[in-house]
């Protein structure tokens, strides 16, 4: 039985609404409009702390942790020891009877929980942190030792008196040491080079866990996923043998103590140069005169403000260069790269500062200005790991792969170093968003020298991203995006957390919302949540409110589930049998995912007409008849002719008209 129809005028295109009077055909049974468009349940509720608009609510609060750290690195024993004072402010409404700290170095212990979660059990270990003392100093300067309990990569500190809410303060004193892991450290390590070992030091001091309005203390252990940290100011000093160079997050406060006069002069020159300036050349690495004194130690003093973390690299082997970063409103920063002589060369790390400068300038123009005085590339075997103001990138990378890793890792400054999402739980909010902004940075760099972005993070097969992600989504074992980061197997970490999340953002920008609304909204999201802790629901609500779109159907299909897309052209017929009256095209949604699409009508003279099919088409229907005005004979009709959508069955996307 044929369905009855109703004519609806849509712009200059007549849409014929197919109104079935029988059950849906078998081929469209997978799509259920009531399921696809049911009210979306946000993972986190709107409260006085987080508004329904996706912005911080009128009662939003956030605790603060400021650090003063002194540390000494002994390269011979590979021991790093230090002491820290954490000035902690409890802005929550709650009195806190305990504090929780993160002890990420305990991940390298043989009994660590994280040793049991990877693809295979580790074969190399350290003994983790050695905590020597913990003491609390109250607002009156009274200091007393306290009890602490270590559980895997967390430490609970039991306070003698509860810390009051609404601005209560204390100072926590911790003394500690640990053995730096070898290359098995992954995100931080010590690795060999021709002119000395390279120390990449991160997760190196006990760090405050976050206490927030979503969970109270967020004490997810460090298994293998990344970090969630409070913001504050850091003042830290690192003592090393005098032959070593140290580069660290933030600004070097005592260059006159640790650099030669020549190096200080070259750095001053680099601050005003768009061309890369050598601070320490490859030839100078082996020259004692490239250090201010022979023998003994030097202490490098750094400061970084409004950050969630700091990291540093240290080695006698570093070649060092730098250049100016040009920021909006006439501001500037300094891009620096350090690397062993083996990594030097015009096709390798000789371009690292160029890549760093260009990507930082692009992200600053397009999304939000880079906030700190220095941005650093450090070369080693951590391979690609980000920290505020410094990234650890592969010393073996060259050309396109080096540009990719530098752009991606410095892109993490925006997600999650500025927009402080919870990487331990919602990794797609940093890896996916960062990969998304990388797509356009790749296009922009040096007139597209390495474009389009096709690498291990995005379309790794080198083909069309929509077609590649469609295959990933067909994998029944692939996890959804709205799942804990530690639950994503390594096999799916890049395909889902990076690629699928990034492509979802591309769909939002280019297919669902449009750049003219998406870009301002995404910029406002970054600015609104800068140095704060947004949740997935905050992002979802913010983008809906700012762009004027109800996107619950997309959050459900793309983020909550791995639903797949199959659009089809099922029938093409001239209106009343007369091509001069136009053509009626029956399209169908045969699978559970919904996306807007482009319908392409090609005529016998080579001309064509395109009709935009909005997502609302499928709110009540599985099939739809689109009437397209025209006075020529049609040769073919296609839906999604440019392969912009992840349609997993393209055999039914086109019909030839005889």
């Amino acid at each position: 039985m044929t369905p009855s129809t109703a004519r609806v005028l849509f712009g200059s295109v007549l849409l014929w609404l197919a109104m079935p009077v029988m059950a849906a055909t078998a081929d469209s049974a997978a799509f259920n409009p009531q399921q696809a468009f049911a009210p979306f349940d946000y993972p986190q509720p709107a409260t006085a702390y987080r508004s329904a608009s996706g912005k911080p609510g009128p009662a939003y609060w956030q605790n603060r942790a400021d650090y003063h750290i002194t540390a000494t690195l002994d390269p011979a024993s590979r021991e790093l020891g230090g002491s820290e004072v954490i000035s902690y402010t409890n802005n929550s409404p709650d009195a806190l009877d305990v504090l929780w700290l993160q002890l990420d170095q305990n991940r390298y212990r043989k009994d660590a929980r994280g040793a049991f979660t990877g693809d295979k059990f580790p074969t190399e270990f350290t003994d983790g942190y050695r905590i020597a003392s913990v003491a609390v100093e109250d607002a009156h300067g009274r200091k007393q030792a306290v009890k602490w309990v270590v559980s895997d990569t967390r430490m609970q500190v039991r306070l003698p008196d509860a810390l009051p809410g609404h601005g209560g303060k204390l100072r926590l004193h911790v003394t500690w040491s640990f053995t730096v892991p070898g290359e098995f450290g992954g995100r931080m390590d010590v690795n060999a080079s021709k002119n000395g070992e390279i120390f990449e030091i991160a997760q190196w001091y006990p760090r405050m866990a976050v206490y927030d309005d979503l969970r109270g203390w967020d004490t997810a252990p460090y298994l293998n996923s990344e970090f969630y940290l409070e913001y504050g100011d850091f003042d830290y000093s690192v003592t090393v043998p005098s032959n070593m160079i140290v580069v660290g997050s933030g600004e070097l406060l005592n260059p006159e103590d640790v650099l030669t006069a020549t190096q200080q002069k070259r750095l001053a020159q680099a601050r005003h140069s768009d061309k890369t300036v050598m601070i320490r050349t490859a030839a100078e690495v082996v020259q004692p005169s490239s250090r201010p004194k022979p023998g003994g130690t030097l202490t490098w003093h750094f400061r970084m403000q409004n950050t969630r973390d700091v990291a540093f690299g240290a080695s006698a082997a570093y070649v060092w260069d730098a250049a100016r970063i040009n920021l909006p409103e006439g501001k500037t920063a300094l891009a620096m790269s350090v690397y062993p002589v083996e990594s030097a060369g015009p096709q390798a790390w000789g371009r690292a500062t160029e890549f760093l400068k260009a990507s930082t300038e692009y992200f600053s123009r397009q999304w939000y200005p880079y906030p700190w005085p220095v941005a650093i590339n450090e070369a080693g075997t951590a391979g690609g790991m980000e920290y505020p103001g410094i990234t650890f990138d592969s010393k073996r990378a060259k050309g396109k792969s080096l540009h990719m890793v530098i752009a991606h890792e410095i892109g993490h400054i925006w997600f999650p170093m500025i927009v402080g999402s919870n990487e331990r739980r919602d990794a797609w909010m940093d890896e996916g968003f960062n990969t998304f902004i990388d797509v356009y940075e790749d296009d922009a760099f040096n007139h597209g020298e390495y474009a389009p972005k096709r690498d291990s993070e995005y379309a790794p097969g080198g083909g069309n991203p929509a077609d590649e992600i469609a295959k990933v989504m067909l994998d029944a074992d692939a996890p959804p995006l709205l799942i804990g980061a530690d639950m994503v197997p390594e096999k799916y970490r890049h395909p889902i957390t990076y690629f699928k999340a990034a492509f979802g953002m591309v769909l939002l920008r280019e297919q669902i919302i449009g750049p003219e609304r998406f870009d301002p909204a995404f910029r406002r999201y970054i600015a609104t949540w800068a140095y704060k802790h947004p949740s997935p629901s905050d992002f979802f609500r913010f983008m809906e409110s700012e762009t004027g779109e109800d996107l619950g159907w997309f959050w459900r299909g793309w983020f909550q589930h791995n639903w797949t897309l199959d659009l089809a052209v099922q029938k093409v017929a001239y209106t009343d049998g007369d091509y001069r009256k136009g053509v009626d095209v029956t399209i169908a949604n045969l699978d559970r995912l919904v996306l807007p699409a482009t319908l392409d009508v090609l005529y016998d003279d080579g001309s064509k007409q395109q009709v935009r099919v909005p997502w609302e088409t499928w709110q009540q229907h599985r099939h739809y008849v689109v009437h397209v005005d025209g006075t020529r004979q049609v040769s073919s009709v296609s839906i999604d002719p440019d392969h912009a959508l992840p349609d997993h069955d393209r055999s039914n996307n086109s019909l030839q008209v005889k």
Side-chain angles (χ1 to χ4, degrees):
M1 182 179 295
T2 58
S4 59
T5 59
R7 276 181 103 182
V8 181
L9 185 63
F10 186 79
S12 62
V13 180
L14 287 175
L15 302 183
W16 289 80
L17 169 60
M19 303 175 65
V21 296
M22 297 181 62
T25 57
D27 61 354
S28 63
F31 177 63
N32 181 347
Q34 294 183 8
Q35 179 189 50
F37 293 101
F40 179 69
D41 292 327
Y42 295 93
Q44 293 86 22
T47 65
Y49 306 125
R50 297 165 189 268
S51 77
S53 68
K55 298 178 181 179
Y60 181 82
W61 55 267
Q62 192 169 302
N63 288 353
R64 179 182 177 92
D66 299 302
Y67 294 81
H68 186 277
I69 308 169
T70 57
T72 298
L73 174 65
D74 179 0
S77 64
R78 296 187 176 181
E79 180 169 300
L80 181 67
S83 62
E84 65 190 83
V85 180
I86 307 172
S87 299
Y88 186 68
T89 305
N90 177 20
N91 292 318
S92 83
D94 308 320
L96 303 178
D97 59 340
V98 300
L99 304 178
W100 281 96
L101 281 76
Q102 302 182 38
L103 303 183
D104 291 347
Q105 289 301 317
N106 286 357
R107 168 61 183 83
Y108 303 111
R109 290 172 55 93
K110 193 170 187 178
D111 60 354
R113 296 184 189 185
F116 295 81
T117 61
D119 292 337
K120 59 182 180 180
F121 197 76
T123 58
E124 297 179 274
F125 309 93
T126 72
D127 58 358
Y129 273 114
R130 298 180 287 274
I131 304 295
S133 64
V134 181
V136 170
E137 179 185 344
D138 65 20
H140 304 289
R142 295 186 295 255
K143 182 177 175 183
Q144 66 181 102
V146 293
K147 293 182 178 180
W148 76 90
V149 176
V150 173
S151 174
D152 194 55
T153 59
R154 294 83 48 88
M155 178 171 69
Q156 184 191 72
V157 175
R158 296 171 179 173
L159 300 177
D161 299 295
L163 178 64
H166 303 292
K169 298 177 183 292
L170 59 72
R171 287 156 62 93
L172 186 68
H173 298 250
V174 186
T175 304
W176 46 267
S177 63
F178 65 88
T179 301
V180 179
E183 293 187 39
F184 66 92
R187 303 189 193 282
M188 57 93 67
D189 63 58
V190 55
N191 60 92
S193 79
K194 177 180 178 181
N195 293 309
E197 292 184 318
I198 297 172
F199 288 81
E200 300 179 296
I201 306 297
Q203 299 112 258
W204 56 284
Y205 55 95
R207 303 180 293 178
M208 289 300 306
V210 172
Y211 187 85
D212 65 19
D213 61 285
L214 298 174
R215 293 182 177 83
W217 286 111
D218 196 314
T219 55
Y222 177 41
L223 302 179
N224 289 299
S225 295
E226 296 179 9
F227 315 113
Y228 188 38
L229 300 161
E230 297 286 17
Y231 287 92
D233 295 340
F234 285 71
D235 185 298
Y236 68 103
S237 299
V238 181
T239 299
V240 297
S242 64
N243 67 327
M244 299 182 80
I245 296 284
V246 177
V247 290
S249 300
E251 184 176 11
L252 178 64
L253 298 182
N254 62 333
E256 68 282 357
D257 297 333
V258 295
L259 303 179
T260 66
T262 298
Q263 290 163 353
Q264 293 177 61
K265 181 179 178 180
R266 291 171 179 173
L267 271 174
Q269 179 187 351
R271 294 181 190 278
H272 302 282
S273 174
D274 287 322
K275 299 290 186 181
T276 300
V277 175
M278 298 305 302
I279 312 303
R280 190 192 196 205
T281 67
E284 290 170 340
V285 168
V286 295
Q287 295 175 2
S289 60
S290 71
R291 303 303 302 119
K293 74 169 189 176
T297 62
L298 291 172
T299 297
W300 297 66
H301 185 191
F302 298 91
R303 178 178 60 205
M304 194 174 197
Q305 296 176 302
N306 204 19
T307 181
R308 59 180 225 160
D309 196 9
V310 291
F312 68 90
S315 181
Y318 285 148
V319 177
W320 185 2
D321 63 41
R324 178 179 62 192
I325 299 172
N326 300 300
L327 299 173
E329 299 181 357
K331 297 180 180 179
T332 63
L334 188 64
M336 303 195 312
S337 298
V338 292
Y339 45 93
V341 294
E342 304 95 299
S343 300
Q347 303 305 314
W349 275 77
R351 293 190 71 184
T353 292
E354 174 196 353
F355 296 161
L356 176 63
K357 168 183 163 65
S359 55
T360 304
E361 289 176 348
Y362 172 80
F363 295 138
S364 296
R365 289 192 310 271
Q366 178 67 10
W367 303 116
Y368 187 89
Y370 183 82
W372 296 304
V374 181
I376 303 167
N377 289 325
E378 191 273 352
T381 58
M385 189 57 208
E386 70 281 356
Y387 299 95
I390 187 170
T391 65
F392 298 161
D393 299 329
S394 173
K395 62 186 180 184
R396 298 180 180 88
K398 298 180 179 180
K400 182 174 183 175
S401 66
L402 181 60
H403 171 262
M404 179 272 286
V405 72
I406 287 174
H408 180 84
E409 302 309 334
I410 201 63
H412 274 300
I413 294 302
W414 285 262
F415 309 101
M417 308 308 168
I418 294 174
V419 182
S421 56
N422 188 343
E423 299 177 275
R424 292 250 167 110
R425 298 184 185 274
D426 308 301
W428 60 272
M429 291 184 73
D430 69 287
E431 297 296 359
F433 289 4
N434 183 19
T435 303
F436 162 70
I437 65 175
D438 292 344
V439 170
Y440 302 99
E441 192 280 337
D442 232 47
D443 293 338
F445 175 70
N446 199 23
H447 309 289
E449 179 180 355
Y450 297 123
K453 183 175 173 64
R454 300 290 186 269
D455 49 50
S456 60
E457 300 166 348
Y458 192 81
N464 179 280
D467 294 338
E468 288 197 33
I469 200 63
K471 296 176 182 177
V472 173
M473 293 158 62
L474 285 172
D475 186 340
D477 294 328
L481 285 164
L482 286 183
I483 196 171
D486 287 318
M487 297 175 66
V488 179
E490 182 62 25
K491 174 183 177 181
Y492 297 108
R493 190 167 60 88
H494 277 86
I496 296 296
T497 306
Y498 292 65
F499 184 15
K500 189 189 178 193
F503 192 73
M505 296 290 285
V506 170
L507 288 173
L508 275 175
R509 183 179 189 266
E510 298 182 3
Q511 301 298 320
I512 299 171
I513 295 171
E516 70 283 351
R517 284 185 294 147
F518 178 94
D519 289 359
F522 198 50
R523 291 186 191 110
R524 283 193 290 270
Y525 168 75
I526 297 170
T528 298
W529 285 100
Y531 315 108
K532 297 182 178 68
H533 298 312
S535 71
S537 297
D538 295 321
F539 169 70
F540 294 155
R541 289 188 171 103
F542 193 97
M543 294 305 291
E544 289 182 325
S545 182
E546 291 289 321
T547 64
E549 292 288 341
D550 180 355
L551 298 167
W553 56 273
F554 185 63
W555 311 138
R556 174 182 292 107
W558 195 265
F559 289 86
Q560 191 175 64
H561 300 283
N562 272 336
W563 285 354
T564 50
L565 181 72
D566 184 12
L567 298 177
V569 177
Q570 294 190 318
K571 183 180 179 181
V572 179
Y574 294 123
T575 304
D576 298 332
D578 185 350
Y579 70 84
R580 290 167 296 187
K581 295 183 178 181
V583 63
D584 301 327
V585 181
T586 302
I587 58 175
N589 195 337
L590 305 181
D591 214 330
R592 290 181 290 181
L593 185 63
V594 173
L595 287 171
T598 296
L599 189 67
D600 190 283
V601 179
L602 182 65
Y603 296 101
D604 60 358
D605 65 348
S607 63
K608 68 178 180 180
Q609 185 174 176
Q610 291 190 327
V611 178
R612 193 65 176 163
V613 181
W615 59 264
E616 289 92 341
T617 306
W618 310 110
Q619 284 185 310
Q620 299 180 30
H621 317 291
R622 294 177 171 89
H623 305 264
Y624 209 81
V625 178
V626 181
H627 175 82
V628 184
D629 287 331
T631 59
R632 297 202 62 86
Q633 294 190 30
V634 175
S635 61
S636 67
V637 177
S638 301
I639 196 162
D640 187 34
D642 297 326
H643 290 214
L645 307 180
D647 193 318
H648 68 80
D649 181 4
R650 296 199 177 273
S651 67
N652 56 18
N653 282 35
S654 302
L655 278 182
Q656 301 295 315
V657 179
K658 298 180 181 179

